[in-house]
Amino acid sequence: MYRSHNCGELNASHINKEVTLAGWVQKSRDKGFIVWVDLRDRYGITQLVFDEERTSKDMMEQAQNLGREFVIQVKGTVIERASKNPNIPTGDIEILVSELNILNEAKLPPFTIEDKTDGGEDLRMKYRYLDIRRNPVKNNLIFRHKVTQEVRNYLSQEGFIEVETPYLIKSTPEGARDFVVPSRMNEGQFYALPQSPQTFKQLLMVGGMDKYFQIVKCFRDEDLRADRQPEFTQIDCEMAFIEQEDILNAFEGLTRHLLKEVKGIEIDKFPRIQYDDAMRLYGNDKPDIRFGMEFGELNDVAQHKDFGVFNSAELVVGIAVPGGNSYTRKEIDKLIDWVKRPQVGALGMVYCRCNEDGTFKSSVDKFYDQDDLAKWAEVTGAKAGDLICVLSGDKNKVRAQLSALRMELAERLGLRNPDEFAPLWVMDFPLLEWDEDTERYHAMHHPFTSPKPGQLELLKTDPGAVKANAYDLVLNGNEIGGGSIRIHDKETQSLMFDYLGFTPEEAKAQFGFLMDAFQYGAPPHGGLAFGLDRLVSILGGQETIRDFIAFPKNNAGRDVMIDAPAPIDDTQLSELNLKLNINQ
């Protein structure tokens, strides 16, 4: 065998034992008469020692020529280490090597294989197989495994059945753009890779599986915003004969289990907030509630003077920044520049200092007196020593802008503690949203989402006011899961397709198989899908999903390690009956 032990398990209890180890050379220190080598594998590091008194001349020369990342096997005796290292589990011992076997030499790596490396992100992605040897990436992947195993264990114990669904499916027009796959055996026809197993899990409920889950790859061919991937992993779940409360209880249970088993944290309360309130108080539908800074809408107390910027705005809204009165004018000017960046898009920012003596000093003192500014403080909850930041404009835009500012300020103030976890349910999303470009309604979630009970008739008179029987689970300002109670009868589903602009023929062509299934006794059902990549990264104290994916793609959707996507040759194109028509 190549090894009797791994490089992380030997300690003082093994002294005088003969062992065999194998791994990579982390580094070596050559003093001429003695050579120390750190041998690394997945489990840790063990120090090897070669000295001229006890090591043959040939082996000594071999040891002196070992390079970084050489793959070696050694046999030797565990001895007590003269200079102990309390920072590693094997720090009390070292191996006096009696036999050295070089299994594979290695080129000098393009970056150092250490926790704090000198390699930039692009370089490390190109050599991801080397990056995985580093503890931060290795430990992230092991952590992901642990979370995944806990998910499987919990759901299995709760009676869920893991079922695989197809990757080669039918393209549908809703949601993001599909990745498509040409079919050689069906000329001119294409499969699509699933954006989610939505229709299949509904069919499994029709099939009587009752409780289903799957840890599954999903695919979306969309322009990648920050920290998105074209392929991602969901914990996809569905349940039959349930109502919304059953779903919420089931997946609160899973989330509690993960927080306890993986992080050692127990959380009792999962607060709930209406979508409309989340937008009003935080400016987005996935608010971070680890800190305050709730929005205060100022229209009633700011639009009665001669300040035209506020008077012409649909919404005037502010937040109180705790301790922000200590900011210098230069620091406030930098905040104003920050909100004016194209990524945020504000035209400017009004501010008001809340002085310790109870007075106020604002950038618009010309228009507002002390009584006016006191009302601003009351509405935003500002206290002495705080700073009120105010934005105005179109309601939807200004809420998004102030939300971005709120998160930036929280980051600067150290209010987003990665070791604190604040889950939140966001409830009752709009069922439909109007698209100005196509001049029709689109499903905010997907076309199989049921309206709230009692609101079906409202579809005929005010479609935009109908609420969905849908819910998102938010953790630390990130959506980690979302789902809904599904439509389970053909009539309601047909009505939904009508409001989404499908003709009966289009609905039949795209979703006829699902409509047909509903005619054979579909149970009431609903579910939820967690984003595994995001969930794991947040539990791991980070918000970059790429660090928890073994082989991620860059922001252009490319795998720079294997150089994909790539052209295919003319023979393959011919077999697929395809011709390229690329505009240069």
Side-chain angles (χ1 to χ4, degrees):
M1 59 185 175
Y2 277 104
R3 56 188 179 186
S4 61
H5 298 78
N6 65 55
C7 293
E9 67 177 302
L10 297 173
N11 54 50
S13 69
H14 297 93
I15 288 175
N16 294 325
K17 284 192 173 181
E18 296 292 320
V19 298
T20 303
L21 301 181
W24 288 264
V25 173
Q26 175 75 18
K27 60 183 178 181
S28 61
R29 300 173 297 286
D30 184 359
K31 297 295 185 180
F33 63 92
I34 190 168
V35 177
W36 290 283
V37 173
D38 286 348
L39 186 67
R40 183 195 72 242
D41 64 9
R42 190 188 101 188
Y43 307 94
I45 289 176
T46 298
Q47 181 170 281
L48 315 177
V49 61
F50 305 80
D51 72 69
E52 59 185 13
E53 291 184 2
R54 294 175 288 183
T55 302
S56 70
K57 183 178 179 181
D58 288 346
M59 191 188 304
M60 196 72 180
E61 185 175 331
Q62 264 190 310
Q64 289 171 328
N65 288 310
L66 290 175
R68 279 182 178 264
E69 303 306 311
F70 274 37
V71 185
I72 64 172
Q73 179 194 48
V74 296
K75 296 181 180 180
T77 305
V78 181
I79 62 174
E80 186 175 4
R81 190 162 163 171
S83 179
K84 295 180 172 57
N85 182 354
N87 297 319
I88 58 175
T90 60
D92 290 343
I93 58 93
E94 58 189 3
I95 309 301
L96 178 61
V97 178
S98 58
E99 184 178 327
L100 168 62
N101 181 18
I102 297 175
L103 301 175
N104 218 331
E105 296 185 358
K107 291 173 62 176
L108 186 67
F111 54 86
T112 55
I113 313 297
E114 295 175 354
D115 290 4
K116 293 184 178 179
T117 182
D118 55 358
E121 185 176 28
D122 290 343
L123 183 64
R124 288 186 289 110
M125 285 187 70
K126 181 175 176 62
Y127 296 94
R128 185 65 167 181
Y129 45 84
L130 297 179
D131 201 27
I132 290 172
R133 296 180 189 174
R134 295 174 52 245
N135 282 327
V137 181
K138 175 197 74 177
N139 291 340
N140 284 348
L141 296 181
I142 294 171
F143 182 77
R144 181 184 177 118
H145 162 76
K146 182 177 180 180
V147 172
T148 303
Q149 289 301 101
E150 289 297 338
V151 168
R152 279 199 164 94
N153 291 342
Y154 181 86
L155 291 176
S156 297
Q157 289 168 8
E158 291 296 311
F160 285 79
I161 305 299
E162 185 169 8
V163 182
E164 292 184 38
T165 54
Y167 278 169
L168 296 176
I169 66 168
K170 188 175 188 176
S171 182
T172 59
E174 287 297 313
R177 189 179 295 109
D178 287 327
F179 281 101
V180 295
V181 181
S183 170
R184 179 183 59 81
M185 293 182 290
N186 299 275
E187 183 177 348
Q189 295 184 325
F190 297 81
Y191 298 106
L193 300 180
Q195 296 182 33
S196 80
Q198 180 60 50
T199 53
F200 286 99
K201 65 182 178 182
Q202 291 190 254
L203 291 171
L204 286 169
M205 295 303 101
V206 176
M209 291 305 295
D210 194 68
K211 289 183 175 182
Y212 141 93
F213 86 99
Q214 182 180 190
I215 297 176
V216 60
K217 281 286 187 188
C218 303
F219 308 86
R220 291 178 186 171
D221 186 10
E222 57 187 347
D223 296 334
L224 299 182
R225 291 174 282 167
D227 203 34
R228 292 287 183 93
Q229 290 282 302
E231 54 180 320
F232 54 96
T233 306
Q234 284 186 348
I235 308 167
D236 195 55
C237 308
E238 198 81 359
M239 303 168 70
F241 299 110
I242 46 80
E243 296 177 333
Q244 179 176 278
E245 199 65 27
D246 301 305
I247 297 284
L248 302 188
N249 290 335
F251 296 107
E252 276 189 26
L254 173 58
T255 308
R256 281 196 184 93
H257 175 80
L258 293 176
L259 286 167
K260 182 178 179 180
E261 296 300 320
V262 176
K263 302 299 293 185
I265 293 171
E266 296 201 32
I267 292 180
D268 293 328
K269 292 185 67 176
F270 280 56
R272 299 180 185 184
I273 189 173
Q274 300 291 303
Y275 168 86
D276 291 342
D277 291 334
M279 298 304 293
R280 178 177 57 84
L281 294 173
Y282 301 102
N284 69 63
D285 59 6
K286 48 182 185 296
D288 191 336
I289 59 170
R290 285 175 293 179
F291 57 95
M293 287 197 280
E294 292 182 357
F295 291 9
E297 296 190 353
L298 300 168
N299 291 42
D300 291 343
V301 296
Q303 289 187 321
H304 63 291
K305 295 297 178 76
D306 293 329
F307 188 45
V309 173
F310 283 178
N311 291 342
S312 62
E314 184 181 8
L315 178 64
V316 183
V317 62
I319 54 173
V321 184
N325 193 31
S326 63
Y327 289 2
T328 65
R329 177 58 191 270
K330 186 175 181 180
E331 288 174 317
I332 293 175
D333 286 343
K334 285 184 177 179
L335 273 184
I336 295 172
D337 290 339
W338 191 89
V339 299
K340 291 168 70 174
R341 298 180 313 146
Q343 299 96 314
V344 180
L347 297 177
M349 184 184 85
V350 169
Y351 67 89
C352 175
R353 294 182 179 277
C354 303
N355 298 319
E356 295 292 348
D357 63 4
T359 63
F360 302 93
K361 178 64 178 173
S362 171
S363 57
V364 288
D365 280 341
K366 177 179 177 181
F367 302 98
Y368 298 93
D369 59 27
Q370 291 292 299
D371 288 340
D372 294 323
L373 299 177
K375 292 176 182 176
W376 291 18
E378 181 181 352
V379 172
T380 59
K383 299 178 177 60
D386 292 351
L387 178 75
I388 303 172
C389 297
V390 182
L391 300 180
S392 63
D394 174 80
K395 180 175 66 176
N396 293 333
K397 288 182 180 178
V398 78
R399 281 176 172 168
Q401 292 159 1
L402 191 60
S403 175
L405 177 61
R406 176 180 179 267
M407 295 295 279
E408 175 66 17
L409 287 166
E411 197 71 46
R412 296 184 185 190
L413 293 167
L415 300 176
R416 304 190 69 208
N417 180 2
D419 295 321
E420 179 185 353
F421 295 91
L424 173 73
W425 285 108
V426 180
M427 318 287 294
D428 297 349
F429 287 78
L431 182 68
L432 306 171
E433 55 185 344
W434 182 256
D435 186 279
E436 294 291 347
D437 294 332
T438 59
E439 295 187 337
R440 67 182 180 92
Y441 283 106
H442 288 264
M444 191 164 189
H445 282 74
H446 53 66
F448 315 108
T449 299
S450 173
K452 293 290 285 187
Q455 295 199 1
L456 190 59
E457 288 301 312
L458 194 57
L459 272 174
K460 300 173 183 177
T461 56
D462 190 1
V466 179
K467 298 297 184 184
N469 207 346
Y471 34 81
D472 279 357
L473 182 55
V474 175
L475 185 61
N476 294 1
N478 292 271
E479 179 196 334
I480 60 166
S484 66
I485 302 301
R486 322 302 187 190
I487 297 169
H488 67 277
D489 64 280
K490 183 178 180 180
E491 292 73 22
T492 305
Q493 189 64 72
S494 296
L495 185 62
M496 186 67 170
F497 286 145
D498 288 343
Y499 283 104
L500 292 173
F502 287 86
T503 66
E505 292 75 21
E506 288 170 335
K508 176 69 175 175
Q510 295 293 338
F511 302 109
F513 62 93
L514 185 65
M515 306 287 277
D516 289 345
F518 283 176
Q519 297 179 94
Y520 291 93
H525 61 282
L528 180 143
F530 285 90
L532 179 64
D533 310 297
R534 184 80 54 201
L535 174 63
V536 170
S537 68
I538 294 169
L539 291 176
Q542 302 177 44
E543 291 191 9
T544 305
I545 65 172
R546 188 178 295 166
D547 293 340
F548 291 83
I549 298 173
F551 298 103
K553 294 175 174 57
N554 67 13
N555 287 340
R558 293 199 64 83
D559 185 326
V560 294
M561 183 184 68
I562 63 173
D563 193 24
I568 60 175
D569 61 33
D570 290 341
T571 302
Q572 286 179 288
L573 287 172
S574 178
E575 287 177 346
L576 296 169
N577 300 296
L578 295 177
K579 286 186 177 181
L580 297 182
N581 181 19
I582 301 173
N583 295 323
Q584 299 295 331

